[in-house]
Amino acid sequence: MKLVSMLLILSVFSPSGFADPSQEDLQKWPVLKEAVSEQSKGNFKAALKLYKHAYDNNIARTVAAPAIMNCLVKLGQNDEAMTFLVTAAKENPFDRELRILLSDKYHEANQIEKALLELDYAEKLSGKDLKPALKRAHIYKNQGQHDLAIKNFTTYIEGTKPPGFDAYLNRAQSQLTLGHPELAEKDIKKAYEAKQFHAETLTTYVYILQALKKFKEAEPFARQCTEVDVRNFLCWNLRGDVTLAAKNYPAALENYSVASRISPDDFELHVKLANTYGLTNQFTEADTHFARALKLKPDHVATVQSWVPALLKRQDYTTSADVLRTFHTKNPKNLWAATEYAKLMSFVGSNDIAAETMKTNVRANKSDLARMYYAYYLFKKGDYSDAMDELDDIKDAAMPVAFNSGVVYWTMKKWDKAVLAFDQVKSEAPYWAKAQVNAALGLESQGKVGTAIDRLGAVTVPPDMKKNVASYLTYLTEIKNRTPAGTAAKTDFQSYLEWVLPNL
């Protein structure tokens, strides 16, 4: 899972700042004591009535207000909870705690501008209390505005003694998200000193050390995380990551397996298990986890791109073909899967299947790139006329249409058309020199040996082609000087009649 998305999961929402009723409050106000008792029993309707009575009679409002809101939420009356707070804040505009509580509710409702505005009012009412800065920092962080979050966390940290672990932890996460792991490490150390047995602190610490490539240092924190919360999926997953980075594959498999028992349907974990089993040559297990991953996400091409090369490496062509065919059938628009399946089928001479595969892909996404590959496999199948039709339909000027057309015409022994096609290749193309040599071949096949020699003499070829071209030029010169022409024996000259296929 990507680091940014994991930090969003780790994101901490700050508490409202309202305390539960103190013993002194309960002794002083029997109605509060009765309300708390009813609430503890789950009688939220009765508790709500009592809290409202306290609030209406101005009894411990800083306790009663959040309690009313919580009871309404428990009763599923979220709109009523918001209405109550808005009304309460209007009736008590100088009640700083109410403004902060209202800001929390606006934040939960994703009404960010209103949430920030309430914090501005709360800050005006007491500039010495930095709670609004901390709240504001959390809002900015959860909105992905990490620069502003860091600014407000810093204000809180510098003005609050001690600032506690929360501000350091969240500032560390924002620093890491912005790509400043060194600064994040300084903050997470302070958060860890303040609260060592806290799973989120430990997982964040591991992420930071991973970003710094301090895998050996990260392992003890990942281990501690699994000890602090033995059912925490993220802790075991990260512990697997750090042991894998240390190339301790048996430990990585053990840790990932524990994580898998906690969350058996986690897609990314199955991919990790598959790749790690592959590293230990446990191919049956690797294939099982790749298959499970694709069952969870049948359209996830990256998984197929990991699995198929692993299968091909051990020459398991049958499974490779099955995986690619299944994926292509479910995802006909995916060009990579189509070309890989076509390539594999062509490898064993099934060019008809390869061409049909690419035909399906062309129909699905109608791209020039797909059409180029379709033309290629039509050519391999021997359908030269159809291959030319597909090449003619390609509009992208950057595609090697002219070169490949020349190869098709050459194969059809249409020498004049082949030469014309090769001549259309632009001089800036990396395969221009090959096109010129091929044009010379076409000229020779038409009996125009002198013209072929002139063509080759005017071409500056790359170093890796010089030996072959010199050999061919020698051969052409011998032909021209002999009577009758054509009695010279051909050398081992290498032709350049393989298609140029663009990268995917």
Side-chain angles (χ1 to χ4, degrees):
M1 188 176 290
K2 292 183 179 179
L3 176 62
V4 172
S5 62
M6 285 309 309
L7 290 181
L8 287 175
I9 291 174
L10 291 173
S11 181
V12 176
F13 286 87
S14 56
S16 66
F18 285 85
D20 292 330
S22 65
Q23 286 299 319
E24 183 180 348
D25 289 331
L26 297 179
Q27 291 298 325
K28 185 176 180 181
W29 307 108
V31 66
L32 281 184
K33 186 175 182 179
E34 186 179 356
V36 170
S37 175
E38 293 296 333
Q39 188 175 0
S40 66
K41 297 174 187 177
N43 298 330
F44 299 110
K45 188 176 290 187
L48 175 61
K49 185 176 181 180
L50 292 165
Y51 281 128
K52 280 187 173 180
H53 176 77
Y55 183 83
D56 291 341
N57 288 277
N58 204 25
I59 296 173
R61 279 191 161 190
T62 57
V63 173
I68 290 171
M69 180 197 70
N70 289 334
C71 286
L72 288 169
V73 170
K74 289 289 186 181
L75 292 167
Q77 300 177 31
N78 293 298
D79 292 341
E80 290 82 351
M82 178 65 83
T83 300
F84 164 75
L85 280 177
V86 171
T87 302
K90 286 182 179 179
E91 292 174 349
N92 305 275
F94 299 104
D95 190 324
R96 181 175 169 280
E97 296 301 324
L98 272 176
R99 309 305 288 258
I100 292 176
L101 185 58
L102 181 55
S103 172
D104 285 342
K105 292 302 293 180
Y106 279 137
H107 185 194
E108 289 175 17
N110 202 35
Q111 298 183 47
I112 304 305
E113 291 185 7
K114 290 183 177 180
L116 293 171
L117 184 60
E118 291 301 324
L119 289 177
D120 289 343
Y121 291 140
E123 198 166 55
K124 289 176 182 179
L125 293 170
S126 179
K128 294 181 180 179
D129 189 341
L130 295 175
K131 190 189 301 179
L134 183 59
K135 296 278 186 179
R136 192 181 293 112
H138 279 288
I139 291 174
Y140 283 132
K141 178 173 179 282
N142 287 307
Q143 291 297 306
Q145 295 177 267
H146 293 284
D147 285 326
L148 291 173
I150 289 169
K151 180 180 178 181
N152 282 274
F153 280 130
T154 301
T155 297
Y156 180 82
I157 288 170
E158 292 178 350
T160 307
K161 304 300 179 185
F165 91 103
D166 176 80
Y168 280 123
L169 169 62
N170 283 275
R171 190 170 72 171
Q173 291 173 350
S174 286
Q175 294 283 18
L176 182 58
T177 303
L178 291 179
H180 307 308
E182 298 85 359
L183 297 175
E185 186 181 19
K186 294 178 181 179
D187 278 346
I188 201 62
K189 283 181 179 178
K190 293 176 181 177
Y192 181 74
E193 290 170 1
K195 201 169 186 177
Q196 296 186 7
F197 302 100
H198 183 255
E200 186 180 345
T201 302
L202 292 164
T203 52
T204 302
Y205 213 148
V206 173
Y207 277 120
I208 292 167
L209 292 173
Q210 283 181 317
L212 293 167
K213 301 190 183 303
K214 296 181 179 180
F215 303 111
K216 189 173 182 180
E217 293 180 34
E219 199 280 332
F221 294 104
R223 184 176 64 250
Q224 184 181 351
C225 189
T226 59
E227 293 166 352
V228 166
D229 188 353
V230 294
R231 294 290 301 168
N232 190 310
F233 166 79
L234 185 55
C235 293
W236 286 104
N237 194 15
L238 283 174
R239 189 172 176 183
D241 289 346
V242 295
T243 48
L244 179 64
K247 297 185 178 180
N248 186 348
Y249 303 135
L253 286 171
E254 182 179 348
N255 294 322
Y256 286 144
S257 295
V258 175
S260 185
R261 289 195 290 273
I262 296 170
S263 183
D265 292 332
D266 186 273
F267 162 77
E268 290 187 351
L269 185 58
H270 283 298
V271 176
K272 289 180 181 180
L273 279 164
N275 286 324
T276 309
Y277 274 121
L279 290 170
T280 59
N281 297 324
Q282 299 180 69
F283 301 124
T284 300
E285 292 82 358
D287 292 344
T288 297
H289 285 284
F290 273 128
R292 287 179 182 173
L294 281 177
K295 188 175 181 179
L296 290 166
K297 288 190 177 183
D299 61 345
H300 198 265
V301 66
T303 300
V304 183
Q305 288 174 330
S306 292
W307 192 5
V308 168
L311 290 167
L312 292 175
K313 188 176 181 180
R314 59 181 194 262
Q315 297 185 333
D316 188 346
Y317 300 115
T318 300
T319 305
S320 298
D322 288 343
V323 171
L324 286 167
R325 181 177 60 254
T326 301
F327 189 85
H328 167 69
T329 301
K330 294 179 179 178
N331 305 275
K333 292 184 70 172
N334 187 279
L335 180 58
W336 178 86
T339 56
E340 287 300 310
Y341 182 52
K343 186 190 304 180
L344 192 57
M345 297 313 297
S346 181
F347 174 66
V348 292
S350 298
N351 290 307
D352 53 341
I353 297 177
E356 190 62 31
T357 300
M358 295 312 306
K359 180 179 180 180
T360 301
N361 186 261
V362 168
R363 286 177 174 175
N365 63 31
K366 297 179 174 57
S367 74
D368 280 346
L369 191 57
R371 198 176 296 279
M372 176 62 75
Y373 277 88
Y374 180 33
Y376 173 68
Y377 286 110
L378 285 170
F379 169 77
K380 294 279 284 184
K381 183 184 173 184
D383 290 347
Y384 304 133
S385 179
D386 289 343
M388 283 305 308
D389 287 343
E390 293 300 321
L391 288 172
D392 289 342
D393 286 340
I394 294 175
K395 307 302 180 186
D396 187 349
M399 290 284 177
V401 172
F403 186 93
N404 294 335
S405 296
V407 174
V408 177
Y409 283 130
W410 171 270
T411 308
M412 296 170 72
K413 302 186 184 306
K414 295 183 177 181
W415 316 119
D416 53 342
K417 289 187 176 182
V419 172
L420 287 173
F422 287 129
D423 280 345
Q424 289 175 21
V425 174
K426 296 180 179 179
S427 59
E428 61 267 22
Y431 44 86
W432 177 79
K434 293 180 179 179
Q436 295 303 302
V437 173
N438 289 344
L441 282 166
L443 290 167
E444 179 210 342
S445 297
Q446 295 177 77
K448 301 176 181 179
V449 177
T451 307
I453 292 173
D454 293 340
R455 172 67 62 93
L456 282 183
V459 177
T460 301
V461 298
D464 62 327
M465 291 176 59
K466 282 185 176 180
K467 183 178 179 181
N468 283 322
V469 172
S471 176
Y472 182 45
L473 192 56
T474 299
Y475 164 73
L476 289 176
T477 303
E478 289 180 5
I479 289 179
K480 183 180 180 182
N481 294 335
R482 287 183 183 228
T483 303
T487 58
K490 274 211 173 185
T491 66
D492 59 351
F493 172 72
Q494 178 185 344
S495 59
Y496 300 99
L497 296 172
E498 286 295 322
W499 276 50
V500 174
L501 292 172
N503 293 326
L504 298 182

